[in-house]
mmCIF file of all heavy atoms in Angstrom:
data_model
loop_
_atom_site.group_PDB
_atom_site.id
_atom_site.type_symbol
_atom_site.label_atom_id
_atom_site.label_comp_id
_atom_site.label_asym_id
_atom_site.label_seq_id
_atom_site.Cartn_x
_atom_site.Cartn_y
_atom_site.Cartn_z
ATOM 1 N N TYR A 28 97.805 -30.909 -93.159
ATOM 2 C CA TYR A 28 98.867 -30.246 -92.399
ATOM 3 C C TYR A 28 100.251 -30.797 -92.732
ATOM 4 O O TYR A 28 100.416 -31.991 -92.907
ATOM 5 C CB TYR A 28 98.618 -30.404 -90.895
ATOM 6 C CG TYR A 28 97.252 -29.969 -90.445
ATOM 7 C CD1 TYR A 28 96.352 -30.873 -89.903
ATOM 8 C CD2 TYR A 28 96.853 -28.638 -90.562
ATOM 9 C CE1 TYR A 28 95.098 -30.480 -89.478
ATOM 10 C CE2 TYR A 28 95.596 -28.226 -90.143
ATOM 11 C CZ TYR A 28 94.723 -29.162 -89.600
ATOM 12 O OH TYR A 28 93.481 -28.758 -89.185
ATOM 13 N N ASP A 29 101.239 -29.891 -92.728
ATOM 14 C CA ASP A 29 102.623 -30.327 -92.894
ATOM 15 C C ASP A 29 103.459 -29.898 -91.690
ATOM 16 O O ASP A 29 104.677 -29.881 -91.749
ATOM 17 C CB ASP A 29 103.220 -29.806 -94.203
ATOM 18 C CG ASP A 29 103.284 -28.291 -94.271
ATOM 19 O OD1 ASP A 29 102.811 -27.615 -93.337
ATOM 20 O OD2 ASP A 29 103.828 -27.771 -95.260
ATOM 21 N N LYS A 30 102.773 -29.544 -90.621
ATOM 22 C CA LYS A 30 103.424 -29.180 -89.355
ATOM 23 C C LYS A 30 103.010 -30.204 -88.297
ATOM 24 O O LYS A 30 102.020 -30.913 -88.467
ATOM 25 C CB LYS A 30 102.947 -27.795 -88.899
ATOM 26 C CG LYS A 30 103.041 -26.698 -89.938
ATOM 27 C CD LYS A 30 104.302 -25.933 -89.800
ATOM 28 C CE LYS A 30 104.352 -24.852 -90.888
ATOM 29 N NZ LYS A 30 105.476 -24.010 -90.750
ATOM 30 N N PRO A 31 103.727 -30.251 -87.167
ATOM 31 C CA PRO A 31 103.294 -31.147 -86.089
ATOM 32 C C PRO A 31 101.891 -30.756 -85.613
ATOM 33 O O PRO A 31 101.590 -29.582 -85.430
ATOM 34 C CB PRO A 31 104.327 -30.894 -84.987
ATOM 35 C CG PRO A 31 105.528 -30.354 -85.704
ATOM 36 C CD PRO A 31 104.982 -29.572 -86.861
ATOM 37 N N VAL A 32 101.025 -31.768 -85.437
ATOM 38 C CA VAL A 32 99.648 -31.552 -85.022
ATOM 39 C C VAL A 32 99.418 -32.229 -83.674
ATOM 40 O O VAL A 32 99.803 -33.386 -83.475
ATOM 41 C CB VAL A 32 98.649 -32.109 -86.061
ATOM 42 C CG1 VAL A 32 97.212 -32.009 -85.558
ATOM 43 C CG2 VAL A 32 98.802 -31.386 -87.387
ATOM 44 N N PHE A 33 98.780 -31.490 -82.771
ATOM 45 C CA PHE A 33 98.426 -32.004 -81.453
ATOM 46 C C PHE A 33 96.916 -31.922 -81.318
ATOM 47 O O PHE A 33 96.334 -30.855 -81.483
ATOM 48 C CB PHE A 33 99.136 -31.199 -80.362
ATOM 49 C CG PHE A 33 100.630 -31.299 -80.463
ATOM 50 C CD1 PHE A 33 101.346 -30.404 -81.244
ATOM 51 C CD2 PHE A 33 101.322 -32.312 -79.817
ATOM 52 C CE1 PHE A 33 102.731 -30.499 -81.373
ATOM 53 C CE2 PHE A 33 102.706 -32.424 -79.942
ATOM 54 C CZ PHE A 33 103.400 -31.513 -80.721
ATOM 55 N N VAL A 34 96.293 -33.062 -81.045
ATOM 56 C CA VAL A 34 94.843 -33.141 -80.917
ATOM 57 C C VAL A 34 94.508 -33.140 -79.429
ATOM 58 O O VAL A 34 94.943 -34.027 -78.687
ATOM 59 C CB VAL A 34 94.296 -34.424 -81.572
ATOM 60 C CG1 VAL A 34 92.782 -34.487 -81.436
ATOM 61 C CG2 VAL A 34 94.722 -34.508 -83.029
ATOM 62 N N VAL A 35 93.746 -32.140 -79.000
ATOM 63 C CA VAL A 35 93.383 -32.030 -77.589
ATOM 64 C C VAL A 35 92.062 -32.760 -77.367
ATOM 65 O O VAL A 35 91.040 -32.408 -77.956
ATOM 66 C CB VAL A 35 93.273 -30.555 -77.155
ATOM 67 C CG1 VAL A 35 92.891 -30.470 -75.683
ATOM 68 C CG2 VAL A 35 94.584 -29.836 -77.420
ATOM 69 N N SER A 36 92.123 -33.791 -76.522
ATOM 70 C CA SER A 36 90.922 -34.575 -76.240
ATOM 71 C C SER A 36 91.107 -35.364 -74.951
ATOM 72 O O SER A 36 92.193 -35.887 -74.694
ATOM 73 C CB SER A 36 90.649 -35.546 -77.387
ATOM 74 O OG SER A 36 89.555 -36.382 -77.081
ATOM 75 N N THR A 37 90.041 -35.436 -74.173
ATOM 76 C CA THR A 37 90.056 -36.300 -72.994
ATOM 77 C C THR A 37 89.390 -37.636 -73.303
ATOM 78 O O THR A 37 89.523 -38.582 -72.542
ATOM 79 C CB THR A 37 89.335 -35.631 -71.805
ATOM 80 O OG1 THR A 37 88.010 -35.274 -72.217
ATOM 81 C CG2 THR A 37 90.089 -34.392 -71.332
ATOM 82 N N SER A 38 88.678 -37.712 -74.443
ATOM 83 C CA SER A 38 87.977 -38.950 -74.780
ATOM 84 C C SER A 38 88.732 -39.825 -75.780
ATOM 85 O O SER A 38 88.585 -41.040 -75.763
ATOM 86 C CB SER A 38 86.577 -38.641 -75.321
ATOM 87 O OG SER A 38 86.658 -37.859 -76.488
ATOM 88 N N LEU A 39 89.536 -39.217 -76.636
ATOM 89 C CA LEU A 39 90.325 -40.000 -77.606
ATOM 90 C C LEU A 39 91.489 -40.676 -76.886
ATOM 91 O O LEU A 39 92.248 -40.022 -76.183
ATOM 92 C CB LEU A 39 90.915 -39.090 -78.675
ATOM 93 C CG LEU A 39 90.187 -38.882 -79.979
ATOM 94 C CD1 LEU A 39 90.979 -37.944 -80.884
ATOM 95 C CD2 LEU A 39 89.866 -40.151 -80.694
ATOM 96 N N LYS A 40 91.613 -41.955 -77.073
ATOM 97 C CA LYS A 40 92.721 -42.686 -76.453
ATOM 98 C C LYS A 40 93.752 -43.120 -77.489
ATOM 99 O O LYS A 40 94.907 -43.381 -77.163
ATOM 100 C CB LYS A 40 92.208 -43.907 -75.691
ATOM 101 C CG LYS A 40 91.200 -43.565 -74.612
ATOM 102 C CD LYS A 40 91.752 -42.591 -73.601
ATOM 103 C CE LYS A 40 90.712 -42.217 -72.571
ATOM 104 N NZ LYS A 40 90.876 -40.924 -72.000
ATOM 105 N N GLU A 41 93.304 -43.210 -78.739
ATOM 106 C CA GLU A 41 94.177 -43.675 -79.803
ATOM 107 C C GLU A 41 93.774 -42.995 -81.107
ATOM 108 O O GLU A 41 92.592 -42.745 -81.356
ATOM 109 C CB GLU A 41 94.036 -45.197 -79.943
ATOM 110 C CG GLU A 41 95.075 -45.834 -80.788
ATOM 111 C CD GLU A 41 94.960 -47.361 -80.752
ATOM 112 O OE1 GLU A 41 93.960 -47.900 -80.243
ATOM 113 O OE2 GLU A 41 95.892 -48.004 -81.264
ATOM 114 N N LEU A 42 94.764 -42.696 -81.931
ATOM 115 C CA LEU A 42 94.511 -42.087 -83.234
ATOM 116 C C LEU A 42 94.247 -43.161 -84.278
ATOM 117 O O LEU A 42 94.782 -44.264 -84.171
ATOM 118 C CB LEU A 42 95.725 -41.260 -83.666
ATOM 119 C CG LEU A 42 96.034 -40.031 -82.819
ATOM 120 C CD1 LEU A 42 97.400 -39.469 -83.198
ATOM 121 C CD2 LEU A 42 94.958 -38.984 -82.985
ATOM 122 N N PRO A 43 93.459 -42.833 -85.305
ATOM 123 C CA PRO A 43 93.285 -43.788 -86.407
ATOM 124 C C PRO A 43 94.641 -44.103 -87.042
ATOM 125 O O PRO A 43 95.539 -43.260 -87.090
ATOM 126 C CB PRO A 43 92.390 -43.031 -87.387
ATOM 127 C CG PRO A 43 91.704 -41.983 -86.585
ATOM 128 C CD PRO A 43 92.669 -41.621 -85.495
ATOM 129 N N GLU A 44 94.773 -45.308 -87.540
ATOM 130 C CA GLU A 44 96.030 -45.791 -88.117
ATOM 131 C C GLU A 44 96.598 -44.829 -89.172
ATOM 132 O O GLU A 44 97.797 -44.584 -89.221
ATOM 133 C CB GLU A 44 95.814 -47.176 -88.732
ATOM 134 C CG GLU A 44 97.093 -47.929 -89.008
ATOM 135 C CD GLU A 44 97.912 -48.220 -87.762
ATOM 136 O OE1 GLU A 44 97.359 -48.606 -86.715
ATOM 137 O OE2 GLU A 44 99.143 -48.054 -87.844
ATOM 138 N N ALA A 45 95.721 -44.257 -90.002
ATOM 139 C CA ALA A 45 96.155 -43.398 -91.112
ATOM 140 C C ALA A 45 96.868 -42.130 -90.660
ATOM 141 O O ALA A 45 97.617 -41.531 -91.429
ATOM 142 C CB ALA A 45 94.955 -43.027 -91.985
ATOM 143 N N VAL A 46 96.658 -41.700 -89.418
ATOM 144 C CA VAL A 46 97.280 -40.446 -88.953
ATOM 145 C C VAL A 46 98.148 -40.624 -87.714
ATOM 146 O O VAL A 46 98.579 -39.635 -87.113
ATOM 147 C CB VAL A 46 96.207 -39.345 -88.697
ATOM 148 C CG1 VAL A 46 95.501 -38.989 -89.974
ATOM 149 C CG2 VAL A 46 95.234 -39.763 -87.616
ATOM 150 N N LYS A 47 98.447 -41.854 -87.343
ATOM 151 C CA LYS A 47 99.248 -42.097 -86.131
ATOM 152 C C LYS A 47 100.608 -41.406 -86.164
ATOM 153 O O LYS A 47 101.100 -40.964 -85.144
ATOM 154 C CB LYS A 47 99.421 -43.586 -85.883
ATOM 155 C CG LYS A 47 98.246 -44.189 -85.180
ATOM 156 C CD LYS A 47 98.524 -45.580 -84.698
ATOM 157 C CE LYS A 47 97.306 -46.049 -83.921
ATOM 158 N NZ LYS A 47 97.463 -47.364 -83.387
ATOM 159 N N ASN A 48 101.215 -41.306 -87.331
ATOM 160 C CA ASN A 48 102.529 -40.657 -87.426
ATOM 161 C C ASN A 48 102.406 -39.178 -87.783
ATOM 162 O O ASN A 48 103.406 -38.511 -88.008
ATOM 163 C CB ASN A 48 103.405 -41.389 -88.447
ATOM 164 C CG ASN A 48 102.811 -41.349 -89.848
ATOM 165 O OD1 ASN A 48 101.642 -41.052 -90.028
ATOM 166 N ND2 ASN A 48 103.638 -41.650 -90.837
ATOM 167 N N LYS A 49 101.176 -38.652 -87.826
ATOM 168 C CA LYS A 49 100.961 -37.261 -88.218
ATOM 169 C C LYS A 49 100.420 -36.389 -87.094
ATOM 170 O O LYS A 49 100.369 -35.173 -87.237
ATOM 171 C CB LYS A 49 99.995 -37.205 -89.405
ATOM 172 C CG LYS A 49 100.517 -37.922 -90.638
ATOM 173 C CD LYS A 49 99.510 -37.920 -91.745
ATOM 174 C CE LYS A 49 100.061 -38.690 -92.937
ATOM 175 N NZ LYS A 49 99.097 -38.798 -94.010
ATOM 176 N N ALA A 50 99.992 -36.998 -85.993
ATOM 177 C CA ALA A 50 99.387 -36.234 -84.905
ATOM 178 C C ALA A 50 99.687 -36.913 -83.574
ATOM 179 O O ALA A 50 100.055 -38.087 -83.526
ATOM 180 C CB ALA A 50 97.882 -36.115 -85.118
ATOM 181 N N THR A 51 99.500 -36.136 -82.512
ATOM 182 C CA THR A 51 99.708 -36.616 -81.147
ATOM 183 C C THR A 51 98.515 -36.178 -80.310
ATOM 184 O O THR A 51 98.050 -35.046 -80.442
ATOM 185 C CB THR A 51 100.996 -35.997 -80.547
ATOM 186 O OG1 THR A 51 102.098 -36.312 -81.404
ATOM 187 C CG2 THR A 51 101.269 -36.499 -79.147
ATOM 188 N N ILE A 52 98.040 -37.051 -79.451
ATOM 189 C CA ILE A 52 96.924 -36.704 -78.566
ATOM 190 C C ILE A 52 97.472 -36.043 -77.302
ATOM 191 O O ILE A 52 98.436 -36.519 -76.704
ATOM 192 C CB ILE A 52 96.116 -37.959 -78.171
ATOM 193 C CG1 ILE A 52 95.490 -38.603 -79.403
ATOM 194 C CG2 ILE A 52 95.028 -37.601 -77.150
ATOM 195 C CD1 ILE A 52 94.832 -39.946 -79.132
ATOM 196 N N LEU A 53 96.835 -34.952 -76.893
ATOM 197 C CA LEU A 53 97.139 -34.287 -75.629
ATOM 198 C C LEU A 53 95.862 -34.229 -74.802
ATOM 199 O O LEU A 53 94.806 -33.866 -75.321
ATOM 200 C CB LEU A 53 97.634 -32.852 -75.855
ATOM 201 C CG LEU A 53 98.955 -32.647 -76.578
ATOM 202 C CD1 LEU A 53 99.229 -31.159 -76.745
ATOM 203 C CD2 LEU A 53 100.088 -33.308 -75.813
ATOM 204 N N SER A 54 95.961 -34.550 -73.528
ATOM 205 C CA SER A 54 94.814 -34.446 -72.618
ATOM 206 C C SER A 54 95.174 -33.476 -71.503
ATOM 207 O O SER A 54 95.185 -33.830 -70.326
ATOM 208 C CB SER A 54 94.462 -35.822 -72.035
ATOM 209 O OG SER A 54 94.084 -36.702 -73.052
ATOM 210 N N LEU A 55 95.502 -32.243 -71.900
ATOM 211 C CA LEU A 55 95.978 -31.235 -70.961
ATOM 212 C C LEU A 55 95.139 -29.971 -71.059
ATOM 213 O O LEU A 55 94.476 -29.739 -72.064
ATOM 214 C CB LEU A 55 97.439 -30.875 -71.287
ATOM 215 C CG LEU A 55 98.451 -32.025 -71.302
ATOM 216 C CD1 LEU A 55 99.769 -31.546 -71.899
ATOM 217 C CD2 LEU A 55 98.657 -32.560 -69.900
ATOM 218 N N ASP A 56 95.215 -29.132 -70.026
ATOM 219 C CA ASP A 56 94.543 -27.840 -70.085
ATOM 220 C C ASP A 56 95.415 -26.871 -70.885
ATOM 221 O O ASP A 56 96.589 -27.152 -71.146
ATOM 222 C CB ASP A 56 94.245 -27.306 -68.675
ATOM 223 C CG ASP A 56 95.503 -26.972 -67.892
ATOM 224 O OD1 ASP A 56 96.303 -26.129 -68.352
ATOM 225 O OD2 ASP A 56 95.691 -27.542 -66.797
ATOM 226 N N PRO A 57 94.856 -25.729 -71.308
ATOM 227 C CA PRO A 57 95.611 -24.803 -72.165
ATOM 228 C C PRO A 57 96.980 -24.381 -71.620
ATOM 229 O O PRO A 57 97.958 -24.362 -72.371
ATOM 230 C CB PRO A 57 94.669 -23.608 -72.312
ATOM 231 C CG PRO A 57 93.307 -24.221 -72.227
ATOM 232 C CD PRO A 57 93.449 -25.295 -71.169
ATOM 233 N N ASN A 58 97.072 -24.067 -70.339
ATOM 234 C CA ASN A 58 98.372 -23.672 -69.776
ATOM 235 C C ASN A 58 99.393 -24.793 -69.887
ATOM 236 O O ASN A 58 100.539 -24.570 -70.275
ATOM 237 C CB ASN A 58 98.216 -23.250 -68.305
ATOM 238 C CG ASN A 58 97.694 -21.848 -68.165
ATOM 239 O OD1 ASN A 58 98.300 -20.903 -68.656
ATOM 240 N ND2 ASN A 58 96.553 -21.701 -67.526
ATOM 241 N N ALA A 59 98.979 -26.007 -69.555
ATOM 242 C CA ALA A 59 99.883 -27.157 -69.615
ATOM 243 C C ALA A 59 100.281 -27.466 -71.068
ATOM 244 O O ALA A 59 101.414 -27.873 -71.326
ATOM 245 C CB ALA A 59 99.238 -28.374 -68.961
ATOM 246 N N ILE A 60 99.361 -27.259 -71.989
ATOM 247 C CA ILE A 60 99.675 -27.475 -73.411
ATOM 248 C C ILE A 60 100.803 -26.543 -73.832
ATOM 249 O O ILE A 60 101.783 -26.968 -74.443
ATOM 250 C CB ILE A 60 98.433 -27.263 -74.299
ATOM 251 C CG1 ILE A 60 97.430 -28.390 -74.078
ATOM 252 C CG2 ILE A 60 98.821 -27.161 -75.778
ATOM 253 C CD1 ILE A 60 96.062 -28.140 -74.699
ATOM 254 N N LEU A 61 100.650 -25.258 -73.505
ATOM 255 C CA LEU A 61 101.691 -24.292 -73.875
ATOM 256 C C LEU A 61 103.019 -24.617 -73.211
ATOM 257 O O LEU A 61 104.070 -24.517 -73.854
ATOM 258 C CB LEU A 61 101.250 -22.872 -73.527
ATOM 259 C CG LEU A 61 100.089 -22.304 -74.339
ATOM 260 C CD1 LEU A 61 99.870 -20.834 -73.996
ATOM 261 C CD2 LEU A 61 100.302 -22.466 -75.828
ATOM 262 N N GLN A 62 102.986 -25.022 -71.952
ATOM 263 C CA GLN A 62 104.227 -25.385 -71.262
ATOM 264 C C GLN A 62 104.905 -26.572 -71.943
ATOM 265 O O GLN A 62 106.108 -26.547 -72.192
ATOM 266 C CB GLN A 62 103.946 -25.713 -69.794
ATOM 267 C CG GLN A 62 103.615 -24.494 -68.962
ATOM 268 C CD GLN A 62 103.223 -24.861 -67.534
ATOM 269 O OE1 GLN A 62 102.921 -26.003 -67.212
ATOM 270 N NE2 GLN A 62 103.210 -23.859 -66.673
ATOM 271 N N GLN A 63 104.118 -27.609 -72.242
ATOM 272 C CA GLN A 63 104.696 -28.807 -72.865
ATOM 273 C C GLN A 63 105.253 -28.489 -74.244
ATOM 274 O O GLN A 63 106.363 -28.913 -74.580
ATOM 275 C CB GLN A 63 103.660 -29.922 -72.964
ATOM 276 C CG GLN A 63 104.259 -31.176 -73.591
ATOM 277 C CD GLN A 63 103.324 -32.362 -73.525
ATOM 278 O OE1 GLN A 63 102.590 -32.530 -72.577
ATOM 279 N NE2 GLN A 63 103.385 -33.204 -74.541
ATOM 280 N N LEU A 64 104.502 -27.745 -75.041
ATOM 281 C CA LEU A 64 104.982 -27.435 -76.388
ATOM 282 C C LEU A 64 106.208 -26.526 -76.352
ATOM 283 O O LEU A 64 107.106 -26.669 -77.176
ATOM 284 C CB LEU A 64 103.861 -26.828 -77.227
ATOM 285 C CG LEU A 64 102.697 -27.771 -77.528
ATOM 286 C CD1 LEU A 64 101.665 -27.078 -78.392
ATOM 287 C CD2 LEU A 64 103.168 -29.064 -78.167
ATOM 288 N N SER A 65 106.248 -25.637 -75.392
ATOM 289 C CA SER A 65 107.420 -24.772 -75.228
ATOM 290 C C SER A 65 108.655 -25.616 -74.896
ATOM 291 O O SER A 65 109.733 -25.394 -75.447
ATOM 292 C CB SER A 65 107.161 -23.742 -74.133
ATOM 293 O OG SER A 65 108.294 -22.916 -73.967
ATOM 294 N N LEU A 66 108.491 -26.597 -74.015
ATOM 295 C CA LEU A 66 109.600 -27.491 -73.661
ATOM 296 C C LEU A 66 110.072 -28.309 -74.863
ATOM 297 O O LEU A 66 111.233 -28.710 -74.927
ATOM 298 C CB LEU A 66 109.191 -28.436 -72.528
ATOM 299 C CG LEU A 66 109.014 -27.787 -71.154
ATOM 300 C CD1 LEU A 66 108.425 -28.784 -70.162
ATOM 301 C CD2 LEU A 66 110.333 -27.224 -70.651
ATOM 302 N N GLN A 67 109.186 -28.527 -75.824
ATOM 303 C CA GLN A 67 109.545 -29.259 -77.033
ATOM 304 C C GLN A 67 110.142 -28.337 -78.098
ATOM 305 O O GLN A 67 110.463 -28.776 -79.199
ATOM 306 C CB GLN A 67 108.305 -29.973 -77.603
ATOM 307 C CG GLN A 67 107.817 -31.102 -76.735
ATOM 308 C CD GLN A 67 106.594 -31.789 -77.325
ATOM 309 O OE1 GLN A 67 106.424 -31.853 -78.544
ATOM 310 N NE2 GLN A 67 105.734 -32.306 -76.470
#
């Protein structure tokens, strides 16, 4: 990917070192995800 990536998970607490600057963890429901991304 060359776009911002958001990983949806309630079990992942941390990303592997190799992708820490390439993805962000979200633990939200679909509506909240859209709201947060819209605000960004």
Side-chain angles (χ1 to χ4, degrees):
Y28 307 116
D29 62 357
K30 309 265 179 175
V32 174
F33 298 89
V34 180
V35 180
S36 175
T37 55
S38 61
L39 266 180
K40 302 302 178 208
E41 192 174 11
L42 294 169
E44 196 62 43
V46 297
K47 277 191 176 181
N48 62 344
K49 299 176 182 176
T51 303
I52 297 172
L53 295 178
S54 298
L55 303 169
D56 66 59
N58 280 302
I60 290 169
L61 292 187
Q62 288 175 344
Q63 181 172 325
L64 294 181
S65 180
L66 290 172
Q67 292 180 31

